[in-house]
Coordinates of all heavy atoms in Angstrom, one line a residue:
L11 N 9.8 -9.2 -4.0 CA 8.4 -9.3 -4.5 C 8.2 -8.7 -5.9 O 7.6 -9.2 -6.7 CB 7.4 -8.7 -3.5 CG 5.9 -8.7 -3.8 CD1 5.5 -10.3 -3.9 CD2 5.1 -8.0 -2.9
G12 N 8.8 -7.5 -6.1 CA 8.7 -6.7 -7.3 C 9.1 -7.6 -8.5 O 8.5 -7.6 -9.6
K13 N 10.2 -8.4 -8.3 CA 10.7 -9.2 -9.4 C 9.8 -10.3 -9.8 O 9.7 -10.8 -11.0 CB 12.1 -9.8 -9.0 CG 13.1 -8.7 -9.0 CD 14.4 -9.3 -8.5 CE 15.5 -8.2 -8.4 NZ 16.8 -8.7 -7.9
A14 N 9.0 -10.7 -8.9 CA 8.0 -11.9 -9.1 C 6.7 -11.4 -9.8 O 5.9 -12.2 -10.3 CB 7.7 -12.6 -7.8
M15 N 6.4 -10.1 -9.8 CA 5.2 -9.5 -10.3 C 5.4 -9.0 -11.6 O 6.6 -8.8 -12.1 CB 4.7 -8.4 -9.4 CG 4.3 -8.9 -8.0 SD 3.7 -7.5 -6.9 CE 2.2 -7.1 -7.7
S16 N 4.4 -8.8 -12.4 CA 4.5 -8.3 -13.8 C 4.7 -6.7 -13.8 O 5.0 -6.2 -14.8 CB 3.2 -8.6 -14.5 OG 2.1 -8.2 -14.0
I17 N 4.5 -6.1 -12.6 CA 4.8 -4.6 -12.6 C 5.7 -4.4 -11.4 O 5.7 -5.1 -10.4 CB 3.4 -3.9 -12.3 CG1 2.8 -4.4 -11.0 CG2 2.5 -3.9 -13.5 CD1 1.6 -3.6 -10.6
P18 N 6.7 -3.5 -11.6 CA 7.6 -3.2 -10.5 C 7.0 -2.7 -9.3 O 6.1 -1.8 -9.4 CB 8.6 -2.2 -11.1 CG 8.0 -1.8 -12.4 CD 6.9 -2.6 -12.7
C19 N 7.4 -3.1 -8.2 CA 6.9 -2.5 -6.9 C 8.1 -2.6 -5.9 O 9.0 -3.4 -6.0 CB 5.7 -3.3 -6.4 SG 6.0 -5.1 -6.1
S20 N 7.9 -1.9 -4.8 CA 8.9 -1.8 -3.8 C 8.4 -1.4 -2.4 O 7.2 -0.8 -2.4 CB 10.1 -0.9 -4.2 OG 9.6 0.4 -4.3
P21 N 9.0 -1.7 -1.3 CA 8.5 -1.3 0.0 C 8.8 0.1 0.3 O 9.8 0.7 -0.3 CB 9.2 -2.3 0.9 CG 10.5 -2.6 0.2 CD 10.2 -2.6 -1.2
E22 N 8.1 0.7 1.1 CA 8.4 2.1 1.5 C 9.6 2.2 2.4 O 9.8 1.3 3.2 CB 7.2 2.8 2.4 CG 7.3 4.2 2.8 CD 7.5 5.1 1.6 OE1 6.8 5.0 0.6 OE2 8.4 5.9 1.8
R23 N 10.5 3.1 2.2 CA 11.8 3.2 2.9 C 11.6 3.7 4.4 O 12.2 3.2 5.3 CB 12.8 4.1 2.2 CG 13.3 3.5 1.0 CD 14.3 4.5 0.3 NE 14.7 3.9 -0.9 CZ 14.7 4.7 -2.0 NH1 14.5 6.0 -1.9 NH2 15.0 4.2 -3.2
S24 N 10.8 4.7 4.5 CA 10.6 5.2 5.8 C 9.6 4.4 6.7 O 8.4 4.3 6.6 CB 10.0 6.7 5.7 OG 9.5 7.2 6.9
R25 N 10.3 3.9 7.8 CA 9.6 3.1 8.7 C 8.5 4.0 9.5 O 7.4 3.5 9.9 CB 10.5 2.4 9.8 CG 11.6 1.5 9.2 CD 11.3 0.7 8.0 NE 10.1 -0.3 8.2 CZ 9.4 -0.7 7.1 NH1 9.7 -0.3 5.9 NH2 8.4 -1.5 7.3
A26 N 8.8 5.1 9.8 CA 7.9 6.0 10.5 C 6.7 6.3 9.7 O 5.5 6.4 10.2 CB 8.6 7.4 10.8
L27 N 6.9 6.5 8.3 CA 5.8 6.7 7.4 C 4.9 5.4 7.3 O 3.7 5.5 7.3 CB 6.3 7.0 6.0 CG 5.2 7.3 5.0 CD1 4.4 8.6 5.4 CD2 5.9 7.5 3.6
V28 N 5.5 4.3 7.3 CA 4.8 3.0 7.3 C 3.9 2.9 8.5 O 2.7 2.6 8.4 CB 5.7 1.8 7.2 CG1 4.9 0.5 7.5 CG2 6.3 1.7 5.9
E29 N 4.4 3.3 9.6 CA 3.7 3.2 11.0 C 2.5 4.2 11.0 O 1.4 4.0 11.3 CB 4.6 3.5 12.1 CG 4.1 3.5 13.5 CD 4.0 2.3 14.2 OE1 4.7 1.3 13.8 OE2 3.2 2.1 15.1
A30 N 2.8 5.5 10.5 CA 1.9 6.6 10.6 C 0.8 6.5 9.6 O -0.3 6.8 9.8 CB 2.6 7.9 10.6
E31 N 1.1 6.1 8.3 CA 0.2 6.3 7.3 C -0.1 5.1 6.4 O -1.1 5.0 5.7 CB 0.7 7.4 6.2 CG 0.8 8.8 6.8 CD 1.2 9.7 5.7 OE1 0.8 9.7 4.6 OE2 1.9 10.7 6.1
L32 N 0.6 4.0 6.6 CA 0.5 2.9 5.7 C 0.1 1.6 6.4 O 0.3 0.5 5.9 CB 1.8 2.6 4.8 CG 2.1 3.9 4.0 CD1 3.4 3.6 3.2 CD2 1.0 4.2 3.0
T33 N -0.3 1.7 7.6 CA -0.7 0.5 8.4 C -2.2 0.7 8.7 O -2.7 1.6 9.4 CB 0.0 0.4 9.7 OG1 1.5 0.4 9.4 CG2 -0.3 -0.8 10.6
K34 N -3.0 -0.4 8.3 CA -4.4 -0.3 8.5 C -4.8 -1.2 9.7 O -4.3 -2.3 9.8 CB -5.1 -0.9 7.2 CG -6.6 -1.3 7.3 CD -7.3 0.0 7.2 CE -8.9 -0.3 7.2 NZ -9.7 0.9 7.4
T35 N -5.6 -0.6 10.6 CA -6.0 -1.3 11.8 C -7.2 -2.2 11.4 O -8.2 -1.7 10.9 CB -6.4 -0.3 12.9 OG1 -5.4 0.4 13.2 CG2 -6.8 -1.1 14.1
A36 N -7.0 -3.5 11.6 CA -8.1 -4.5 11.3 C -8.8 -4.9 12.7 O -8.5 -4.3 13.7 CB -7.4 -5.7 10.7
D37 N -9.8 -5.7 12.6 CA -10.5 -6.1 13.8 C -9.6 -6.7 14.8 O -9.8 -6.5 16.0 CB -11.6 -7.2 13.4 CG -12.7 -6.6 12.4 OD1 -12.7 -5.4 12.1 OD2 -13.4 -7.5 11.9
N38 N -8.7 -7.6 14.5 CA -7.8 -8.2 15.4 C -6.4 -8.1 15.0 O -5.5 -9.2 15.2 CB -8.3 -9.7 15.4 CG -8.2 -10.4 14.0 OD1 -8.2 -9.7 13.0 ND2 -8.1 -11.7 14.0
G39 N -5.8 -7.1 14.5 CA -4.5 -6.9 14.2 C -4.3 -5.7 13.3 O -5.1 -4.8 13.2
E40 N -3.2 -5.8 12.5 CA -2.9 -4.7 11.5 C -2.5 -5.3 10.3 O -2.0 -6.4 10.1 CB -1.7 -3.9 12.1 CG -2.0 -3.2 13.3 CD -0.8 -2.3 13.8 OE1 0.3 -2.8 13.6 OE2 -1.1 -1.3 14.5
I41 N -2.7 -4.6 9.1 CA -2.4 -4.9 7.8 C -1.3 -3.8 7.3 O -1.7 -2.6 7.3 CB -3.6 -4.9 6.8 CG1 -4.7 -5.9 7.4 CG2 -3.1 -5.3 5.5 CD1 -6.0 -5.8 6.6
V42 N -0.1 -4.2 7.2 CA 0.9 -3.3 6.7 C 0.8 -3.2 5.1 O 1.1 -4.2 4.5 CB 2.3 -3.7 7.3 CG1 3.4 -2.7 6.7 CG2 2.3 -3.8 8.7
C43 N 0.7 -2.0 4.7 CA 0.5 -1.7 3.3 C 1.6 -0.9 2.6 O 1.3 0.2 2.1 CB -0.9 -1.1 3.0 SG -2.3 -2.0 3.8
E44 N 2.8 -1.3 2.9 CA 4.0 -0.4 2.5 C 4.4 -0.7 1.1 O 5.2 0.1 0.5 CB 5.1 -0.7 3.4 CG 5.7 -2.1 3.3 CD 7.0 -2.1 4.2 OE1 7.9 -1.4 4.1 OE2 7.0 -3.1 5.1
M45 N 4.0 -1.9 0.5 CA 4.4 -2.1 -0.9 C 3.7 -1.1 -1.7 O 2.5 -0.8 -1.5 CB 4.1 -3.6 -1.3 CG 4.9 -4.6 -0.5 SD 6.7 -4.5 -0.7 CE 6.8 -4.9 -2.4
H46 N 4.3 -0.7 -2.8 CA 3.7 0.3 -3.8 C 4.3 0.1 -5.1 O 5.4 -0.3 -5.3 CB 3.8 1.7 -3.2 CG 5.2 2.2 -3.1 ND1 6.1 2.0 -2.0 CD2 6.0 2.9 -4.0 CE1 7.2 2.5 -2.3 NE2 7.2 3.1 -3.4
T47 N 3.5 0.5 -6.0 CA 3.9 0.7 -7.4 C 3.4 2.0 -8.0 O 2.4 2.6 -7.4 CB 3.3 -0.5 -8.3 OG1 3.9 -0.5 -9.6 CG2 1.8 -0.5 -8.4
K48 N 4.0 2.5 -9.0 CA 3.6 3.8 -9.6 C 2.8 3.5 -10.8 O 3.1 2.7 -11.6 CB 4.9 4.6 -10.0 CG 5.7 5.1 -8.8 CD 6.9 5.9 -9.3 CE 7.8 6.3 -8.1 NZ 9.0 6.9 -8.7
M49 N 1.8 4.4 -10.9 CA 0.9 4.3 -12.2 C 1.7 5.2 -13.2 O 2.6 6.0 -12.9 CB -0.4 4.9 -11.8 CG -1.1 4.0 -10.8 SD -2.7 4.7 -10.4 CE -3.7 4.3 -11.7
R50 N 1.2 5.0 -14.4 CA 1.9 5.8 -15.5 C 1.5 7.3 -15.4 O 0.5 7.7 -14.9 CB 1.3 5.3 -16.8 CG 1.9 5.9 -18.0 CD 1.5 5.2 -19.3 NE 0.1 4.9 -19.3 CZ -0.8 5.4 -20.1 NH1 -0.4 6.0 -21.2 NH2 -2.1 5.1 -20.0
Q51 N 2.5 8.1 -15.5 CA 2.3 9.6 -15.4 C 1.5 10.1 -16.6 O 1.7 9.8 -17.7 CB 3.8 10.2 -15.4 CG 3.6 11.8 -15.2 CD 4.9 12.4 -15.0 OE1 5.9 11.8 -14.8 NE2 5.0 13.7 -15.1
I52 N 0.6 10.9 -16.2 CA -0.3 11.5 -17.2 C 0.0 13.0 -17.2 O -0.3 13.7 -16.2 CB -1.9 11.2 -17.0 CG1 -2.0 9.8 -17.0 CG2 -2.7 12.0 -18.0 CD1 -3.4 9.4 -16.6
G53 N 0.5 13.6 -18.3 CA 0.8 15.0 -18.4 C 2.2 15.3 -17.7 O 2.8 14.4 -16.9
K54 N 2.7 16.4 -18.0 CA 4.0 16.8 -17.5 C 4.0 17.3 -16.1 O 5.0 17.2 -15.4 CB 4.6 17.9 -18.5 CG 4.9 17.4 -19.9 CD 5.5 18.5 -20.6 CE 5.8 18.0 -22.1 NZ 6.4 19.0 -23.0
N55 N 2.9 17.9 -15.7 CA 2.9 18.5 -14.3 C 2.2 17.7 -13.3 O 2.0 18.1 -12.1 CB 2.2 19.8 -14.4 CG 2.9 20.8 -15.3 OD1 4.2 20.9 -15.4 ND2 2.3 21.6 -16.0
H56 N 1.8 16.5 -13.6 CA 1.1 15.7 -12.7 C 2.0 14.5 -12.2 O 2.4 13.7 -13.1 CB -0.2 15.1 -13.2 CG -1.0 14.4 -12.2 ND1 -0.9 13.0 -12.1 CD2 -2.1 14.7 -11.4 CE1 -1.7 12.6 -11.2 NE2 -2.5 13.6 -10.7
K57 N 2.4 14.4 -11.0 CA 3.2 13.3 -10.5 C 2.4 12.1 -10.6 O 1.1 12.0 -10.4 CB 3.6 13.5 -9.1 CG 4.5 14.7 -8.8 CD 4.8 14.8 -7.4 CE 5.7 15.9 -7.1 NZ 5.9 16.2 -5.7
P58 N 3.0 10.9 -10.9 CA 2.3 9.6 -11.0 C 1.7 9.2 -9.6 O 2.4 9.4 -8.6 CB 3.3 8.7 -11.6 CG 4.6 9.2 -11.2 CD 4.5 10.7 -11.3
D59 N 0.5 8.8 -9.6 CA -0.1 8.2 -8.4 C 0.6 6.9 -8.1 O 1.1 6.3 -9.0 CB -1.6 8.0 -8.4 CG -2.4 9.3 -8.4 OD1 -1.8 10.3 -7.8 OD2 -3.5 9.4 -8.9
R60 N 0.4 6.5 -6.8 CA 1.0 5.2 -6.4 C -0.1 4.4 -5.7 O -1.2 4.9 -5.2 CB 2.0 5.4 -5.3 CG 3.3 6.1 -5.8 CD 4.2 6.4 -4.7 NE 5.4 7.1 -5.2 CZ 6.7 6.8 -4.9 NH1 6.9 5.9 -4.0 NH2 7.6 7.5 -5.4
I61 N 0.1 3.1 -5.9 CA -1.0 2.1 -5.4 C -0.2 1.5 -4.2 O 0.8 0.8 -4.4 CB -1.3 1.1 -6.4 CG1 -1.9 1.7 -7.6 CG2 -2.3 0.0 -5.7 CD1 -2.2 0.7 -8.8
Y62 N -0.8 1.6 -2.9 CA -0.1 1.1 -1.8 C -0.9 -0.2 -1.4 O -2.2 -0.1 -1.4 CB -0.2 2.1 -0.6 CG 0.9 3.2 -0.7 CD1 0.5 4.3 -1.4 CD2 2.2 3.0 -0.3 CE1 1.5 5.4 -1.6 CE2 3.1 4.1 -0.5 CZ 2.7 5.3 -1.0 OH 3.6 6.3 -1.2
F63 N -0.3 -1.3 -1.1 CA -1.0 -2.5 -0.9 C -0.2 -3.4 0.1 O 1.0 -3.3 0.3 CB -1.2 -3.3 -2.2 CG 0.0 -3.6 -2.9 CD1 0.4 -5.0 -2.8 CD2 0.7 -2.8 -3.7 CE1 1.6 -5.4 -3.5 CE2 1.8 -3.2 -4.4 CZ 2.2 -4.5 -4.3
C64 N -0.9 -4.5 0.5 CA -0.3 -5.5 1.3 C -0.3 -6.7 0.4 O -1.5 -7.1 0.0 CB -1.1 -5.8 2.6 SG -0.5 -7.2 3.5
A65 N 0.7 -7.3 0.2 CA 0.8 -8.4 -0.9 C 0.2 -9.7 -0.4 O -0.3 -10.5 -1.1 CB 2.3 -8.7 -1.2
R66 N 0.2 -9.9 0.9 CA -0.5 -11.0 1.5 C -1.0 -10.7 3.0 O 0.0 -10.6 3.8 CB 0.4 -12.2 1.5 CG -0.2 -13.5 2.0 CD 0.7 -14.7 2.0 NE 0.0 -16.0 2.5 CZ -0.4 -16.2 3.6 NH1 -0.2 -15.4 4.6 NH2 -1.0 -17.3 3.9
V67 N -2.2 -10.7 3.1 CA -2.7 -10.4 4.5 C -2.3 -11.5 5.5 O -2.5 -12.7 5.1 CB -4.2 -10.1 4.5 CG1 -4.7 -10.0 5.9 CG2 -4.6 -9.0 3.6
P68 N -1.7 -11.2 6.6 CA -1.4 -12.3 7.5 C -2.6 -13.2 8.0 O -3.7 -12.8 8.0 CB -0.8 -11.5 8.8 CG -0.6 -10.2 8.3 CD -1.5 -9.9 7.2
D69 N -2.2 -14.4 8.3 CA -3.2 -15.4 8.7 C -4.0 -14.9 9.9 O -3.5 -14.3 10.8 CB -2.5 -16.8 9.1 CG -2.0 -17.5 7.9 OD1 -2.4 -17.1 6.7 OD2 -1.2 -18.4 8.0
G70 N -5.3 -15.2 9.9 CA -6.1 -14.9 11.1 C -6.7 -13.4 11.1 O -7.6 -13.2 11.9
I71 N -6.3 -12.6 10.2 CA -6.7 -11.2 10.1 C -8.1 -11.1 9.5 O -8.4 -11.7 8.6 CB -5.8 -10.3 9.3 CG1 -4.4 -10.2 10.0 CG2 -6.3 -8.9 9.2 CD1 -4.4 -9.6 11.4
R72 N -9.0 -10.3 10.3 CA -10.3 -10.0 9.8 C -10.5 -8.6 9.8 O -10.0 -7.8 10.5 CB -11.4 -10.6 10.7 CG -11.4 -12.1 10.8 CD -12.4 -12.6 11.8 NE -12.6 -14.0 11.7 CZ -13.5 -14.7 11.0 NH1 -14.4 -14.0 10.4 NH2 -13.6 -16.0 11.0
L73 N -11.3 -8.1 8.8 CA -11.6 -6.5 8.7 C -13.1 -6.6 8.5 O -13.7 -7.1 7.5 CB -10.9 -6.0 7.5 CG -11.1 -4.5 7.3 CD1 -10.6 -3.7 8.5 CD2 -10.3 -4.0 6.0
D74 N -13.8 -5.8 9.4 CA -15.2 -5.7 9.3 C -15.8 -7.2 9.4 O -16.9 -7.3 8.7 CB -15.8 -4.9 8.2 CG -15.3 -3.5 8.2 OD1 -15.1 -2.9 9.3 OD2 -15.0 -2.9 7.1
G75 N -15.2 -8.0 10.1 CA -15.8 -9.4 10.3 C -15.5 -10.3 9.2 O -15.7 -11.5 9.2
K76 N -14.8 -9.9 8.1 CA -14.5 -10.7 6.9 C -13.1 -11.2 7.0 O -12.2 -10.4 7.2 CB -14.7 -9.8 5.6 CG -14.6 -10.7 4.4 CD -14.8 -9.8 3.2 CE -14.5 -10.6 1.9 NZ -14.7 -9.8 0.7
K77 N -12.9 -12.5 6.8 CA -11.6 -13.1 6.7 C -10.8 -12.5 5.4 O -11.4 -12.6 4.4 CB -11.7 -14.6 6.5 CG -12.0 -15.3 7.8 CD -12.1 -16.8 7.5 CE -11.8 -17.7 8.7 NZ -11.8 -19.1 8.4
L78 N -9.6 -12.0 5.6 CA -8.8 -11.6 4.6 C -7.5 -12.3 4.4 O -6.7 -12.0 3.6 CB -8.5 -10.0 4.8 CG -9.7 -9.1 4.8 CD1 -9.2 -7.7 5.0 CD2 -10.4 -9.2 3.4
E79 N -7.2 -13.2 5.3 CA -5.9 -13.9 5.3 C -5.6 -14.4 3.9 O -6.4 -15.0 3.1 CB -5.9 -15.0 6.3 CG -6.9 -16.2 6.1 CD -6.9 -17.1 7.3 OE1 -6.9 -16.6 8.5 OE2 -6.8 -18.3 7.0
G80 N -4.3 -14.1 3.5 CA -3.8 -14.6 2.2 C -4.1 -13.7 1.0 O -3.6 -13.8 -0.1
A81 N -5.1 -12.7 1.2 CA -5.5 -11.9 0.2 C -4.5 -10.8 -0.1 O -3.8 -10.4 0.8 CB -6.9 -11.3 0.5
I82 N -4.6 -10.2 -1.3 CA -3.9 -8.9 -1.6 C -4.8 -7.8 -1.2 O -6.0 -7.8 -1.6 CB -3.6 -8.8 -3.1 CG1 -2.6 -9.9 -3.5 CG2 -3.0 -7.4 -3.4 CD1 -2.3 -10.0 -5.0
Y83 N -4.5 -6.9 -0.3 CA -5.2 -5.8 0.1 C -4.7 -4.5 -0.4 O -3.6 -4.1 -0.1 CB -5.1 -5.8 1.7 CG -6.1 -4.7 2.3 CD1 -7.5 -5.0 2.4 CD2 -5.6 -3.6 2.7 CE1 -8.3 -4.0 2.9 CE2 -6.4 -2.6 3.2 CZ -7.8 -2.8 3.4 OH -8.6 -1.9 3.9
I84 N -5.6 -3.9 -1.2 CA -5.3 -2.6 -1.8 C -5.7 -1.5 -0.8 O -6.9 -1.4 -0.4 CB -6.0 -2.3 -3.2 CG1 -5.7 -3.3 -4.2 CG2 -5.6 -0.9 -3.7 CD1 -4.3 -3.5 -4.6
Y85 N -4.7 -0.8 -0.2 CA -5.0 0.2 0.8 C -5.4 1.5 0.2 O -6.5 2.1 0.7 CB -3.8 0.3 1.7 CG -4.0 1.3 2.9 CD1 -5.2 1.2 3.7 CD2 -3.1 2.2 3.3 CE1 -5.3 2.0 4.8 CE2 -3.3 2.9 4.4 CZ -4.4 2.8 5.2 OH -4.6 3.6 6.3
K86 N -4.7 2.1 -0.7 CA -5.0 3.4 -1.2 C -4.2 3.7 -2.5 O -3.2 3.2 -2.7 CB -4.9 4.5 -0.2 CG -3.4 4.8 0.3 CD -3.5 5.9 1.3 CE -2.1 6.2 2.0 NZ -2.2 7.3 2.9
I87 N -4.9 4.5 -3.3 CA -4.3 5.0 -4.6 C -4.2 6.5 -4.4 O -5.3 7.2 -4.3 CB -5.1 4.6 -5.8 CG1 -5.2 3.1 -5.8 CG2 -4.4 5.1 -7.0 CD1 -6.1 2.5 -6.9
T88 N -3.0 7.0 -4.3 CA -2.7 8.4 -4.0 C -1.5 8.9 -4.4 O -0.6 8.2 -4.9 CB -3.0 8.6 -2.5 OG1 -2.9 9.9 -2.1 CG2 -1.9 7.9 -1.7
E89 N -1.2 10.1 -4.1 CA 0.2 10.7 -4.4 C 1.1 10.0 -3.4 O 0.6 9.2 -2.5 CB 0.3 12.2 -4.0 CG -0.5 13.1 -4.9 CD -0.4 14.6 -4.5 OE1 0.2 14.8 -3.4 OE2 -0.9 15.5 -5.1
H90 N 2.4 10.2 -3.5 CA 3.3 9.6 -2.5 C 3.0 9.9 -1.2 O 2.6 11.1 -0.9 CB 4.7 10.2 -2.8 CG 5.8 9.4 -2.1 ND1 6.1 9.7 -0.8 CD2 6.7 8.4 -2.5 CE1 7.1 8.9 -0.4 NE2 7.4 8.1 -1.4
S91 N 2.9 8.9 -0.3 CA 2.5 9.2 1.1 C 3.5 10.0 1.9 O 4.7 10.0 1.4 CB 2.2 7.9 1.8 OG 1.0 7.3 1.5
G92 N 3.0 10.7 2.8 CA 4.0 11.5 3.6 C 4.1 13.0 3.0 O 4.7 13.9 3.7
G93 N 3.6 13.2 1.8 CA 3.7 14.6 1.3 C 2.7 15.5 1.8 O 3.0 16.7 2.1
K94 N 1.5 15.1 2.1 CA 0.4 16.0 2.5 C -0.3 15.3 3.7 O -0.4 14.1 3.9 CB -0.7 16.2 1.5 CG -0.2 17.0 0.3 CD -1.3 17.2 -0.7 CE -0.9 18.0 -1.9 NZ -1.9 18.2 -2.8
K95 N -0.8 16.1 4.6 CA -1.5 15.6 5.8 C -3.0 16.0 5.4 O -3.4 16.9 5.0 CB -1.0 16.3 7.0 CG 0.4 15.8 7.4 CD 0.3 14.5 8.0 CE 1.7 14.0 8.4 NZ 1.7 12.7 8.8

């Protein structure tokens, strides 16, 4: 997927982390948001934030009653997941 986008992105390696922190419960299923890209680093002491997302919400998924199938779902923009609880 990263090669097809204008910005580099990759899936999260840790399956346990995907299950615990990067899966959004929807009305009738789950949205796995393991794909991520890094934002540009600002300053020397600040790690670049990451944007975690689902590149294509599965067919039939609704969130708060709204159809999301086929959409890009941005889950969170944060430090690397798994670092802090």
